[in-house]
Amino acid sequence: MNFLEQRIAKDGIVKPGNVLKVDSFLNHQMDIALMEEIGREFHRRFADKPITKVLTIEASGIGIACFAAKEFGVPMVFAKKSKSINIEGEMYIAEVESFTHKNKNQIIVSKKFLSSEDHLLIIDDFLANGCALQGLISIAEAAGATVEGLGIVIEKGFQIGGKVIRNLGYRLESLAIVDAMDPDTGTITFREQ
Amino acid sequence: MNFLEQRIAKDGIVKPGNVLKVDSFLNHQMDIALMEEIGREFHRRFADKPITKVLTIEASGIGIACFAAKEFGVPMVFAKKSKSINIEGEMYIAEVESFTHKNKNQIIVSKKFLSSEDHLLIIDDFLANGCALQGLISIAEAAGATVEGLGIVIEKGFQIGGKVIRNLGYRLESLAIVDAMDPDTGTITFREQ
């Protein structure tokens, strides 16, 4: 097991309904040393790519994306989930359905911050059905930017998202892929990578 | 002018209605080197305090809070703006009105992540009417935690929030306090500190 799988096995909590709670270290309370290690690992995996920006989506992707962007020495841009009066002018917009919150959101990125010159690393904490990633990809493509790769912290391998993204031809790296979870025993089965 | 005031003067955009747009470096696209410098500055200003956790609120506070927490070597906890099915059990809850989005939100923090043992540094990007900070303070107090200080990137000095928080006896450090903005000339007047 890699460092992340070890941490998930130690502190992740399996709940009925295929819910994996990692809120003690990843998406509510954040272990900053772990975030830094995740950032370094994404940099290692995409070191061959000429990344100009890291793109993520609020909220829990932001911390991870910050530390990945730090490693690449590039800015980070996060897509927002609803129109703010502080964002005006031209925006890229995509529709995203949330598995967690069971609702639909528009996600938006100001056109000022993505262009055809950009080579993007797209980052998020979780990949399940892939709707959020597809929204980010569609925004990147609308900008004419190159999606060099996608970095996910935890992929739910038993859901469709990873397969869809890989079938589209994108390079997707998930630091941990959970293939099965048993809420009765708390056992988490990781895919060998 | 300090490093942040210089950056605001250079890249901040003043819009009618007392709107200061800093989305090119602070709260939509993030300049990571600037975030790191902000984190170091908060550490310098609160180095005398026995900080055990940094507390912020999603979404744009997260990046700054991450780099502040990194400097202190402590975890970061961010309050969430709506109930998620991934957060269960006992939670601290506060009601917060958003100036930017003109709506009300409940903000919540899991009771697992704050206790009477904690000495908190509360971080946010903007301080205007102070509702978000007061929500975070009320959550900290409900947990019995000690609020050692509050660190703000940009305070709108012409709004009530800063005065309210300071009158409550809290140590509030704002890296830049904007006392006036002129949308016609783009001039930003910072308070001497």
Side-chain angles (χ1 to χ4, degrees):
Chain A
M1 289 200 287
N2 68 25
F3 70 96
L4 181 70
E5 293 164 337
Q6 287 174 19
R7 184 60 177 271
I8 296 167
K10 177 171 163 279
D11 291 330
I13 298 171
V14 179
K15 295 282 181 179
N18 280 329
V19 172
L20 174 61
K21 285 170 68 76
V22 289
D23 59 353
S24 67
F25 57 96
L26 189 66
N27 54 14
H28 186 15
Q29 178 167 257
M30 289 185 168
D31 177 331
I32 302 296
L34 182 75
M35 300 289 113
E36 292 183 88
E37 196 165 358
I38 289 170
R40 285 190 295 267
E41 179 63 20
F42 282 134
H43 181 254
R44 194 183 67 77
R45 294 188 184 209
F46 295 100
D48 57 320
K49 300 292 189 182
I51 306 299
T52 60
K53 277 182 189 173
V54 171
L55 177 65
T56 190
I57 181 169
E58 66 178 12
S60 40
I62 292 175
I64 303 148
C66 273
F67 288 109
K70 175 179 182 309
E71 295 299 319
F72 285 97
V74 301
M76 186 276 275
V77 175
F78 66 92
K80 302 197 174 198
K81 277 181 182 160
S82 64
K83 183 153 169 41
S84 154
I85 59 164
N86 274 355
I87 300 185
E88 60 176 22
E90 299 275 307
M91 291 172 288
Y92 299 112
I93 300 174
E95 192 91 1
V96 168
E97 197 166 350
S98 168
F99 169 78
T100 310
H101 298 88
K102 302 197 187 307
N103 60 9
K104 276 193 181 182
N105 283 296
Q106 278 196 335
I107 66 169
I108 58 175
V109 175
S110 170
K111 289 188 177 175
K112 290 183 291 184
F113 305 132
L114 292 178
S115 82
S116 59
E117 307 290 303
D118 278 316
H119 294 256
L120 301 178
L121 174 60
I122 295 176
I123 294 281
D124 208 0
D125 57 342
F126 266 96
L127 170 57
N129 61 22
C131 285
L133 275 196
Q134 288 181 70
L136 291 173
I137 290 171
S138 79
I139 281 175
E141 290 185 338
T146 306
V147 177
E148 294 286 0
L150 302 102
I152 294 295
V153 182
I154 304 175
E155 176 181 338
K156 289 181 168 175
F158 50 87
Q159 287 192 250
I160 197 70
K163 183 170 279 183
V164 168
I165 303 287
R166 290 184 181 95
N167 281 347
L168 287 169
Y170 292 101
R171 177 160 154 202
L172 169 64
E173 297 267 354
S174 298
L175 303 191
I177 301 179
V178 174
D179 269 340
M181 299 189 283
D182 185 334
D184 295 326
T185 62
T187 310
I188 300 167
T189 309
F190 296 104
R191 187 178 303 175
E192 292 282 343
Q193 294 196 73
Chain B
M1 289 200 289
N2 68 24
F3 70 96
L4 181 71
E5 293 164 338
Q6 286 174 20
R7 184 60 176 272
I8 296 166
K10 177 170 162 279
D11 291 332
I13 298 172
V14 180
K15 296 281 181 180
N18 280 330
V19 172
L20 174 61
K21 286 169 67 76
V22 290
D23 58 353
S24 67
F25 59 96
L26 189 66
N27 54 14
H28 186 16
Q29 179 167 257
M30 289 184 168
D31 177 332
I32 302 296
L34 182 74
M35 299 290 113
E36 292 183 271
E37 196 166 357
I38 289 170
R40 286 190 295 268
E41 179 63 20
F42 282 134
H43 181 255
R44 195 183 66 76
R45 294 188 184 209
F46 294 100
D48 57 321
K49 300 292 190 182
I51 306 298
T52 60
K53 276 183 189 171
V54 171
L55 177 66
T56 189
I57 182 170
E58 65 178 13
S60 40
I62 292 175
I64 303 149
C66 274
F67 288 109
K70 175 181 182 308
E71 295 299 319
F72 285 96
V74 301
M76 186 275 276
V77 174
F78 66 92
K80 303 198 173 196
K81 277 181 182 160
S82 64
K83 183 153 170 40
S84 153
I85 60 164
N86 274 355
I87 301 186
E88 60 176 24
E90 299 275 307
M91 291 172 289
Y92 299 112
I93 299 174
E95 192 92 1
V96 168
E97 197 166 351
S98 169
F99 169 77
T100 309
H101 298 88
K102 302 197 187 309
N103 61 9
K104 276 194 181 182
N105 284 297
Q106 278 196 334
I107 66 168
I108 57 174
V109 175
S110 171
K111 290 188 177 176
K112 291 183 290 183
F113 305 133
L114 292 179
S115 82
S116 58
E117 307 289 303
D118 278 315
H119 295 255
L120 302 177
L121 175 60
I122 295 176
I123 293 281
D124 208 1
D125 57 342
F126 266 97
L127 170 57
N129 60 21
C131 285
L133 275 196
Q134 288 181 68
L136 291 173
I137 290 171
S138 80
I139 281 175
E141 290 185 338
T146 306
V147 177
E148 294 287 359
L150 301 102
I152 294 295
V153 182
I154 304 175
E155 176 181 338
K156 289 181 168 175
F158 49 86
Q159 287 192 249
I160 197 71
K163 182 170 281 184
V164 168
I165 303 288
R166 290 184 182 97
N167 282 347
L168 288 168
Y170 292 103
R171 177 160 154 201
L172 168 64
E173 297 267 353
S174 298
L175 304 192
I177 301 179
V178 174
D179 269 341
M181 299 189 283
D182 185 333
D184 295 327
T185 63
T187 310
I188 300 167
T189 309
F190 296 105
R191 186 178 303 174
E192 293 283 343
Q193 295 197 73

